[in-house]
Every structure is written in structure tokens, then in C-alpha cells.
Amino acid sequence: MPSVSARTDRPSAEPPGDQPAPRTKEGAIQRYEQYLHALGREDIDTVCEVAGPAAKKAQDQGFGPCTSTYAAVFQMISPAQKKALKTATVDPQRVAVRTPDKIEMPVEAVRSSATFSESDLGSYTLEYLANDWYITD
């Protein structure tokens, strides 16, 4: 007779954590907030995963790999801004849906206890690629 775990473990093509992200404005906002919180924590792995396509473009233009580029970015963010990023949210009213696969996150959409400008945080484009949202520009 099969054990209890054998009956509940159904084979899956993908691990349970790898479901496609919602291809919605809310899904993009959630992913961007994940990126902002990772920036605040200096979580290089998460930052480089979410910003991978944009970092690759920068590398192709002569910048270093994502990990060294963002190590420099972390140095430019003040301690107060890092603290604010850890709990930052995005105002959905200020997010621009360009196409179902491309969403603009203007710096004005970031809600936090610190103020950010184009020069220190900037605006980003998120695109839906390979079942998740990624920063592409």
C-alpha cells in the first residue's frame, strides 16, 4: 500500500515554486516591489535576477556584469533610502500599461518614506518574458 506522502506527491513538470507569474499589471507591480525591497536589502541575487535583461544590455554596452554594476549602485543609495526601499510600494494609479507584456514603472509611482528622483532610482520598463516580469530598460 502506498505511503501517505506517495499519494500526495504528484509528479510535476516544474517544481511547485516555478508557476508562471500573473501576466497582469498587479503581477508586474509585485515583481517590481520585490526588486525594490531587494535593492534595500542589498540582495544582489534577487536584484540581478529581476534586472537580468537590463543588466545584460548594460554589460553589452561596456558596463561590468550585473553583480559588479549593482555593487556600485548599492554604494550610491543612502542608508535612509535603503531603509525606505525595504518597505516601498508602488502606486498602481501611476503605472503605465504600454502593452499586455510591457509596463512602465515611473519613479513617481514608488511610495516610500524617502524621496527618489530619476537620478537616484529612475523609471523602469518591465516586460513579461519566460513566464515572469523582468526589468528590461
Side-chain angles (χ1 to χ4, degrees), residues 9-33:
D9 290 346
R10 60 181 193 276
S12 168
E14 303 173 53
D18 286 346
Q19 264 44 353
R23 191 171 157 187
T24 60
K25 177 175 162 182
E26 294 72 26
I29 288 171
Q30 189 176 18
R31 181 75 158 170
Y32 187 56
E33 288 176 349

Side-chain angles (χ1 to χ4, degrees), residues 33 36-38 40-41 81-90 110-114:
E33 288 176 349
L36 294 172
H37 300 165
R41 292 191 314 270
Q81 287 175 321
K82 282 181 190 158
K83 186 174 191 290
L85 283 169
K86 290 179 192 174
T87 56
T89 58
V90 173
V110 176
R111 296 275 168 256
S112 76
S113 58

Side-chain angles (χ1 to χ4, degrees), residues 37-104:
H37 300 165
L39 260 184
R41 292 191 314 270
E42 295 192 27
D43 174 354
I44 197 86
D45 294 336
T46 301
V47 167
C48 286
E49 193 229 319
V50 178
K56 176 78 176 89
K57 266 189 217 170
Q59 190 171 348
D60 292 346
Q61 294 167 0
F63 291 90
C66 185
T67 49
S68 60
T69 303
Y70 271 99
V73 170
F74 293 150
Q75 301 308 308
M76 295 186 284
I77 303 170
S78 74
Q81 287 175 321
K82 282 181 190 158
K83 186 174 191 290
L85 283 169
K86 290 179 192 174
T87 56
T89 58
V90 173
D91 178 355
Q93 303 296 326
R94 295 181 176 261
V95 172
V97 178
R98 298 288 177 231
T99 70
D101 292 338
K102 191 178 247 187
I103 295 184
E104 303 287 331

Side-chain angles (χ1 to χ4, degrees), residues 111-122:
R111 296 275 168 256
S112 76
S113 58
T115 305
F116 292 95
S117 66
E118 279 296 332
S119 62
D120 52 30
L121 184 61

